[in-house]
Amino acid sequence: MNARHEVKLTMYRTVEQHCDANPSIIAAVAAFMTAYNAFKAVISEIIGTEQLVSTNLSGITAGKGNSKQSLARTSAEIAGIVYAYASATKDETLKQEVNFSFSTLKRTRDEQLAPRCQLIHDRAVAHKAALADYGITDAKTAALQSAIDTYSGETTKPRTAVSNRKTQNANLNAKFRAADAILKDRMDKLIANFAATDPDFVKTYENARIIIDAPTTATQLKGTITNAADNAPIKGATVTIVELGKTRTTDTFGKYS
């Protein structure tokens, strides 16, 4: 919900509270009562939709991060063992295929990590008879496969959540338009019925209908992405604000804005 929606909802709830506090007055005009009940229903829908929109993505993102770290650690352990075997057997091709440290895997882009770890797993399985003396077991390769599958499932969750949020935001906009239409085209017109008998009710209703805009500010996010090993800037790194779907790529100096 944006700042405009928030101030509108505050206005809606003020109107709702005023009408709820005067049930005998609004009941005197059936058409107004009908419009008001429709208005209240839309307010309930707005609040319900906002709860879906406001689902916190931090837990999803944290889950993906934990899954990535676990996969990187498990893969690096097996990769190191396979590398040792390849060195002993002078298999240079195999050495290069599995030459990935924990820090390298941890920095690997999301879409590249699972295939890279799958290659490590597959090479370990392909040489499992020879690797038995090196400590590679079926349980270890199965654990790695499980970690790959878990991570693959986690990587889609943030994007799915963002897509769902966009859908709910569209629904939210439609509901605000519906509430505005009920107020403007029905309730605001019918309120005149109470002017002679309940002028104070009308005056308070009109005051409640005033939207008080909240001040708005712009926020800019800047930073620098560096290598954990030597603090060197990383060019071409992707930085994404998941909740907003905004992405930037770092420049030659590792900076983004």
Side-chain angles (χ1 to χ4, degrees):
M1 186 181 295
N2 57 36
R4 183 62 175 172
H5 284 165
E6 288 176 359
V7 294
K8 272 194 173 186
L9 183 57
T10 298
M11 179 269 288
Y12 295 166
R13 298 304 301 271
T14 304
V15 171
E16 180 184 29
Q17 290 172 7
H18 176 53
C19 291
D20 282 346
N22 295 275
S24 60
I25 294 177
I26 63 176
V29 178
F32 185 91
M33 190 68 182
T34 299
Y36 175 61
N37 286 334
F39 177 65
K40 284 192 68 170
V42 175
I43 291 176
S44 295
E45 292 172 3
I46 288 173
I47 294 172
T49 303
E50 171 58 16
Q51 289 173 347
L52 294 175
V53 172
S54 299
T55 299
N56 192 351
L57 292 178
S58 62
I60 294 174
T61 305
K64 188 184 80 170
N66 292 337
S67 177
K68 183 173 187 177
Q69 182 157 318
S70 176
L71 174 58
R73 194 175 303 281
T74 303
S75 298
E77 178 185 341
I78 291 181
I81 295 172
V82 177
Y83 186 93
Y85 163 76
S87 296
T89 58
K90 295 182 171 47
D91 189 335
E92 293 300 323
T93 299
L94 181 59
K95 279 175 64 175
Q96 293 308 311
E97 287 179 328
V98 299
N99 188 20
F100 297 108
S101 65
F102 168 69
S103 59
T104 298
L105 290 171
K106 191 177 177 182
R107 293 196 304 270
T108 300
R109 295 191 180 198
D110 292 346
E111 65 275 12
Q112 296 175 340
L113 181 60
R116 186 167 288 180
C117 294
Q118 189 67 57
L119 177 63
I120 294 170
H121 169 275
D122 293 348
R123 292 299 177 267
V125 170
H127 296 85
K128 70 175 184 177
L131 289 170
D133 291 341
Y134 288 76
I136 294 295
T137 63
D138 288 341
K140 285 186 176 181
T141 55
L144 175 54
Q145 186 63 62
S146 177
I148 293 169
D149 294 342
T150 298
Y151 177 73
S152 297
E154 291 287 344
T155 55
T156 62
K157 287 182 180 180
R159 180 165 295 182
T160 299
V162 170
S163 298
N164 289 337
R165 176 171 288 191
K166 288 181 178 179
T167 299
Q168 295 303 330
N169 272 323
N171 292 339
L172 200 59
N173 289 331
K175 294 181 191 305
F176 271 97
R177 288 194 296 271
D180 287 341
I182 294 172
L183 281 172
K184 182 179 178 181
D185 299 336
R186 297 168 66 184
M187 292 173 64
D188 288 355
K189 298 295 189 292
L190 294 170
I191 197 71
N193 284 291
F194 309 107
T197 56
D198 298 283
D200 289 344
F201 172 78
V202 175
K203 184 62 177 177
T204 303
Y205 173 89
E206 291 172 346
N207 289 334
R209 283 282 284 115
I210 297 173
I211 297 176
I212 302 175
D213 288 327
T216 58
T217 58
T219 300
Q220 185 177 45
L221 180 65
K222 295 181 178 180
T224 303
I225 304 299
T226 58
N227 190 314
D230 56 12
N231 208 36
I234 299 177
K235 177 184 177 181
T238 300
V239 181
T240 301
I241 302 176
V242 177
E243 293 85 350
L244 302 179
K246 293 184 179 293
T247 299
R248 294 291 183 271
T249 302
T250 56
D251 62 18
T252 303
F253 305 101
K255 296 182 180 297
Y256 67 89
S257 175

